Amino acid sequence: MMGSNKSGLPGSLWTALFHPWVWRMAWRDSRSQRVRLVIFSLAIVSGIAALTAIHSLKASVERGIASEAKSLLGSDLRVSSRREIVADDVSRLAGMASRMSRETSFPSMMRFLPDGGARLMQVRGIEGGYPFYGKVETRPADAWEKLKGEGGVLLEPAMLDQFGAKIGDEVELGGMRLRILGVVDKPAPRGSRFSGFAPEVYVNLADIERTGLLTTNSMASYQVYLEIDGGPSSKALKDKVRKDFPDNPWQLETPEDRRENLGDALDNFQQFLGLIALASLALGAIGVAGAVHAHVTRRIATIGILRCLGCPGHLAFGIYFAQVLALGFFGALLGAGLGVGLQMGLLGAFRDELPISVSPSPEWKIVAQTTATGFAVCCGFALLPLMKIREISPAVTLRSGGGLKGGVLRSLPIYALLVGLLVMVAHANDPRWARSLAMVGGMVVAFLALVGVARGLMAVTRRVVGMRWPYLLRQGVSNLHRPGNQTLLFLLSLGLGTFLLVTILSAGRLLNKRLDLQQSGKSPNLYLIDVQPDQVAGVREVLDQTGLPVLESEPMVTMRVSSIRGVAVGKAKGVPRWVARREFRSTYRDKLNFTETLVAGEFATERADPTEVVPLSLEEEIAKDMMVGIGDELTLDVQGVPIRARVTSLRRVDWSRFNLNFFMVFPPGVLEDAPGFHVVTTRTPTPAASGELQRALAAKFANVTAIDLTLILETVRDILGKISTVVTVLGGFTVLAGLPILIGTLLNGRDVRLKESVLLRTLGASAKQVRTILVIEYATLGILSALTGVLLAVAANAALAVFVFKASPWPDPILLVGAFGAVTGIAVLGGLALSRGVCSHPPLEILRGGG
């Protein structure tokens, strides 16, 4: 019969896995090892839990984004511009849609009357029926409709509490008094990112035009919202607008674009978490492979007896592969359940911080996919030791001391399969193949480094240990290379755990350093923007009267790039499309700031003739994006006036400092007559001083906007703090994945240590001497594991600092020393704790084989 032999046993591995006899033998054989196998299965639990939780979180948010895509934008198409959209263009746009609405938004100071104080607000002047999708909720309920008809303002509820105001009171905006109509509980979709840092105030667009706040150089944003009713799709409408208005540098956004933008922002966060999940999964799979290797090594004699009784190699393989399937299935289910709990718990805790409504419900499709992936990776890693079962011959029953043998070359297909599996897991997290391969490649390098250290340590100790060494030291160090040693698994579990933990903590430290508010006494925490040229002296006088310093005062001019090396920027090969749409806010001066470093060329300090080719200094990263270097020419459109410029220098800018930094810097004599405004920065010691300054500015210069960076950075820090909490929770699973491996490794070595200690005691060694030998062994393993893990983390920290955070690559020495000491201590204490009782067993009991 196909698939079986005359004895009735299955004749192939595939049929063996479905045969009851194989599963009965697998169950019976595991009876003495179930506790150890369960401990090792916990390693895969943490990896699958992290993988499930991370991918389920992303799927939940993406599902929420997809279900609310139109309400996120409020329309089918948003047309946005930094320049006012002329009436003729507005009429043409209105003809393409069933309904049209306009909005003008800008930051400005608003005073609460009679003398309730002033506050920077994001003013939103709206006309028409926007939003077309979703609903603005106000108190009273009809306040939104009253705003369109009567005029007035709508505020956020917190503003009334902060300034002691109530509905019916008046506010002053640009010299115009407006009545508070109500408060907004659910706002209209935001078109400007700045509105996330300042409270919003809603005003009728007609009232905005009467305040006189809008001038040629105001930092205003103009939007036109379009609704289509049964016509073309949003994408088709976007393409038509782009085609019919080719010369207008508008930004066009559809609900699909906004959904993709939110997805991209989420992906940046998810990629880092995906690395944690991949590391946890790989570490757990290594633990399972180690458990199976130790388990099969202890069963060599049993397998030899089975072979003597006529059991073929594939059937013996099937028995232990069945145990692996059960082990992986148990770990995968438990990990999936824990991952679902994590996902629902995190969504429940942070759902109010998300810009969309997300239901904390399980993503069963993702759960099934990640569980199957984790199960496959687990079984794949277990194949490495299982394949060596076929090499065990019946003759092993006649000799003792045999171990698992198998050539590395024969296992190469399995190694390739495992790397392929990990790459597929990484690719599911990041669709860019290069980054997926780099992620897995980095883990493979760390793994090979630890394996190399372990192998090298065993080889060195075998040759270095001599008879002149003290006996206890010689015994402890020799345990690192003797049969049954724990060196390889010990270094993999503890070394990888150390590497990943220190890397995560170092990344958090780099992030916190970039957001440190106390970087320098020269760093401002208050920006005064939209200062007109004739107001600079007056603003300086206000600062002097309030006792605050003027840290920086620089002009700012808006411009676009028209051509690069004589080619229109939209047609320049290799130049990103956003370069043509971007408005660059540039300045002119004859010296470098302390946040800038000259990296190439010569910085121009002499006055230039605007009718000739003028020298230009570019920031090095924007020069790379534009694919230009020293000597290349650009044509810049300065609000309708073309200026030819040649790149004469490249600067490196420290963007982590919140000083006035620019991509483009011109010499004096070029931009003085161009429309623009000044930015003045200062540093306020207390919130009270900041409030006093803002009230004084609002009284004299209503158009001047004060941006308090302290408030902005506190908001960002709060958001990052929540993200850090999620990273810490999920990152902890990477460390936890190593603990079951460490515990299982120590348990597997316990039998060997028990026999060795009995032999030593039989030869006259005391219990104290035996414990000293164990301490030396575990201390050596701990020191090498900690040292290797810390050095790998230092290399990873340097790469993150240089290529991601643009910071100093030097790590925190306190963190490194603390991690080194903690890991070494864990190794010694863990080894002694799990070896407890080794010295208390009667020697005769062990020698008889009854222990």
Side-chain angles (χ1 to χ4, degrees):
M1 181 183 295
M2 182 71 67
S4 62
N5 53 33
K6 295 180 180 180
S7 64
L9 294 177
S12 68
L13 175 61
W14 179 250
T15 54
L17 292 178
F18 295 93
H19 199 282
W21 180 84
V22 171
W23 287 93
R24 284 198 303 268
M25 287 295 296
W27 175 256
R28 291 170 182 168
D29 184 80
S30 68
R31 279 182 292 192
S32 63
Q33 305 293 325
R34 285 172 192 166
V35 174
R36 295 181 180 183
L37 292 176
V38 168
I39 289 175
F40 271 100
S41 72
L42 295 178
I44 203 67
V45 169
S46 59
I48 294 179
L51 197 68
T52 301
I54 289 167
H55 287 277
S56 295
L57 278 171
K58 184 173 185 291
S60 294
V61 176
E62 286 181 341
R63 178 164 50 84
I65 291 172
S67 65
E68 298 186 10
K70 288 192 175 182
S71 62
L72 285 173
L73 188 63
S75 64
D76 291 300
L77 182 67
R78 181 175 72 92
V79 181
S80 179
S81 175
R82 284 292 182 182
R83 299 179 184 176
E84 185 176 4
I85 302 175
V86 298
D88 288 345
D89 289 343
V90 172
S91 299
R92 291 175 60 192
L93 288 170
M96 299 180 181
S98 56
R99 281 199 294 172
M100 183 272 292
S101 183
R102 290 193 302 154
E103 176 184 347
T104 300
S105 60
F106 57 94
S108 181
M109 300 298 293
M110 186 178 73
R111 294 180 61 204
F112 289 80
L113 301 177
D115 191 23
R119 182 70 162 87
L120 172 66
M121 307 291 287
Q122 181 70 14
V123 182
R124 300 185 65 180
I126 295 180
E127 173 191 80
Y130 181 77
F132 306 128
Y133 304 100
K135 183 180 179 182
V136 177
E137 297 178 2
T138 63
R139 285 179 287 154
D142 60 346
W144 187 252
E145 296 302 321
K146 281 186 178 180
L147 179 72
K148 299 175 183 178
E150 301 177 9
V153 299
L154 292 176
L155 301 172
E156 296 181 4
M159 291 298 98
L160 298 187
D161 297 334
Q162 181 178 349
F163 292 95
K166 61 182 182 298
I167 296 175
D169 288 351
E170 289 188 334
V171 297
E172 185 178 71
L173 192 63
M176 183 177 181
R177 294 192 172 200
L178 298 168
R179 189 168 63 91
I180 300 176
L181 299 177
V183 295
V184 178
D185 291 323
K186 183 180 178 182
R190 292 171 173 172
S192 171
R193 293 182 179 181
F194 181 78
S195 60
F197 298 123
E200 293 182 333
V201 54
Y202 293 89
V203 185
N204 191 301
L205 185 59
D207 289 337
I208 289 288
E209 295 170 351
R210 289 197 294 269
T211 62
L213 290 173
L214 292 177
T215 63
T216 306
N217 302 320
S218 295
M219 293 185 64
S221 176
Y222 302 88
Q223 286 90 28
V224 173
Y225 301 99
L226 304 178
E227 180 196 30
I228 48 178
D229 186 11
S233 64
S234 297
K235 184 178 183 302
L237 178 61
K238 177 181 176 181
D239 294 338
K240 179 173 175 56
V241 171
R242 187 78 72 191
K243 179 181 178 181
D244 291 353
F245 299 88
D247 299 327
N248 287 316
W250 296 336
Q251 291 184 355
L252 307 180
E253 187 176 16
T254 65
E256 292 75 16
D257 294 331
R258 178 153 292 197
R259 180 177 61 196
E260 291 174 1
N261 290 338
L262 286 173
D264 290 342
L266 183 67
D267 281 343
N268 294 330
F269 175 46
Q270 189 243 3
Q271 285 162 14
F272 180 64
L273 294 181
L275 177 60
I276 296 175
L278 182 65
S280 300
L281 183 64
L283 195 56
I286 290 170
V288 172
V292 173
H293 182 276
H295 175 59
V296 174
T297 299
R298 286 191 297 270
R299 315 305 290 174
I300 287 178
T302 303
I303 297 172
I305 293 173
L306 286 174
R307 298 299 306 277
C308 288
L309 296 176
C311 178
H314 71 270
L315 206 55
F317 175 91
I319 293 172
Y320 293 94
F321 190 57
Q323 292 179 353
V324 168
L325 292 175
L327 183 72
F329 185 72
F330 168 78
L333 287 183
L334 190 57
L338 189 57
V340 170
L342 263 176
Q343 173 229 357
M344 296 178 67
L346 290 173
L347 280 181
F350 297 103
R351 62 188 303 181
D352 294 337
E353 308 300 327
L354 297 173
I356 57 172
S357 176
V358 179
S359 174
S361 58
E363 299 287 340
W364 293 116
K365 180 179 179 181
I366 301 297
V367 172
Q369 290 175 347
T370 53
T371 303
T373 300
F375 178 71
V377 172
C378 168
C379 294
F381 271 80
L383 283 176
L384 289 172
L386 287 177
M387 293 299 292
K388 299 176 182 179
I389 291 178
R390 294 174 175 268
E391 307 299 323
I392 299 176
S393 67
V396 76
T397 57
L398 302 178
R399 56 179 181 264
S400 61
L404 289 178
K405 298 178 181 179
V408 176
L409 292 178
R410 188 173 298 178
S411 301
L412 281 180
I414 300 178
Y415 284 114
L417 172 65
L418 297 179
V419 172
L421 281 173
L422 292 178
V423 170
M424 295 303 296
V425 174
H427 182 64
N429 173 68
D430 190 335
R432 288 164 289 192
W433 283 106
R435 296 186 65 164
S436 301
L437 291 171
M439 188 183 298
V440 175
M443 291 188 58
V444 170
V445 169
F447 174 79
L448 292 178
L450 286 165
V451 171
V453 169
R455 298 293 187 192
L457 180 62
M458 288 186 280
V460 168
T461 54
R462 185 178 288 111
R463 290 173 173 79
V464 170
V465 176
M467 296 303 295
R468 296 182 180 179
W469 287 32
Y471 178 75
L472 297 181
L473 180 62
R474 187 168 71 244
Q475 283 292 114
V477 174
S478 295
N479 282 344
L480 301 179
H481 65 80
R482 287 172 178 159
N485 69 80
Q486 310 167 81
T487 304
L488 181 57
L489 271 181
F490 207 100
L491 259 73
L492 282 177
S493 60
L494 208 55
L496 274 180
T498 304
F499 160 63
L500 293 167
L501 178 62
V502 175
T503 300
I504 291 171
L505 293 177
S506 298
R509 175 177 169 270
L510 289 171
L511 188 59
N512 288 331
K513 282 182 65 178
R514 286 178 62 86
L515 292 173
D516 188 3
L517 292 176
Q518 309 299 329
Q519 296 177 52
S520 168
K522 298 181 181 179
S523 297
N525 61 3
L526 195 71
Y527 270 42
L528 306 179
I529 61 177
D530 212 3
V531 181
Q532 299 304 309
D534 59 348
Q535 296 176 329
V536 174
V539 170
R540 284 177 171 269
E541 184 179 349
V542 172
L543 286 170
D544 184 62
Q545 291 173 353
T546 53
L548 297 175
V550 176
L551 296 180
E552 299 163 297
S553 177
E554 294 196 19
M556 185 180 290
V557 178
T558 302
M559 61 189 65
R560 293 180 180 274
V561 179
S562 297
S563 66
I564 299 176
R565 292 185 292 272
V567 180
V569 66
K571 300 179 180 179
K573 186 176 180 181
V575 177
R577 294 181 60 185
W578 59 261
V579 174
R581 299 193 302 266
R582 179 166 185 157
E583 289 185 337
F584 291 91
R585 298 188 182 274
S586 308
T587 192
Y588 52 92
R589 47 180 155 84
D590 58 1
K591 60 183 179 180
L592 294 171
N593 279 344
F594 72 96
T595 59
E596 299 172 325
T597 304
L598 191 67
V599 295
E602 183 177 352
F603 187 79
T605 59
E606 302 294 332
R607 292 185 66 86
D609 185 352
T611 62
E612 303 293 336
V613 179
V614 301
L616 172 66
S617 179
L618 278 181
E619 191 266 343
E620 61 175 349
E621 294 300 325
I622 203 71
K624 291 179 183 177
D625 290 335
M626 294 182 182
M627 302 185 70
V628 298
I630 302 296
D632 288 333
E633 286 195 12
L634 306 176
T635 301
L636 302 165
D637 178 4
V638 184
Q639 302 187 31
V641 178
I643 291 181
R644 294 173 58 203
R646 179 179 292 112
V647 180
T648 58
S649 67
L650 299 177
R651 295 166 294 115
R652 178 178 297 118
V653 177
D654 184 2
W655 297 103
S656 66
R657 297 179 181 269
F658 292 88
N659 296 83
L660 288 178
N661 294 313
F662 298 88
F663 288 113
M664 299 183 184
V665 177
F666 290 81
V670 180
L671 301 178
E672 280 81 350
D673 295 330
F677 55 85
H678 278 67
V679 180
V680 180
T681 68
T682 185
R683 188 174 187 85
T684 58
T686 62
S690 176
E692 181 184 352
L693 172 64
Q694 293 183 46
R695 283 191 293 271
L697 288 171
K700 293 186 177 182
F701 307 103
N703 64 293
V704 174
T705 300
I707 300 180
D708 193 333
L709 292 183
T710 303
L711 179 63
I712 293 174
L713 288 176
E714 284 176 356
T715 303
V716 174
R717 191 182 294 276
D718 182 61
I719 294 172
L720 290 176
K722 292 180 173 65
I723 292 177
S724 177
T725 301
V726 177
V727 172
T728 302
V729 171
L730 295 176
F733 277 81
T734 305
V735 181
L736 291 177
L739 293 181
I741 306 176
L742 181 62
I743 295 171
T745 302
L746 294 171
L747 284 176
N748 287 334
R750 179 182 170 86
D751 297 339
V752 177
R753 299 298 166 263
L754 191 61
K755 293 179 180 180
E756 289 179 352
S757 65
V758 165
L759 290 174
L760 289 172
R761 291 180 62 201
T762 303
L763 295 173
S766 65
K768 181 180 179 180
Q769 290 175 317
V770 173
R771 279 194 293 269
T772 301
I773 293 172
L774 291 175
V775 168
I776 292 172
E777 177 185 358
Y778 291 124
T780 306
L781 286 172
I783 290 172
L784 264 296
S785 301
L787 183 62
T788 308
V790 165
L791 290 177
L792 287 172
V794 167
N797 175 78
L800 287 173
V802 172
F803 298 109
V804 178
F805 294 101
K806 311 298 182 185
S808 171
W810 296 106
D812 183 3
I814 297 178
L815 173 62
L816 300 184
V817 172
F820 181 85
V823 171
T824 303
I826 288 173
V828 175
L829 294 177
L832 292 179
L834 290 175
S835 300
R836 188 167 53 89
V838 166
C839 302
S840 61
H841 282 274
L844 191 59
E845 177 185 349
I846 301 300
L847 293 175
R848 285 175 173 172

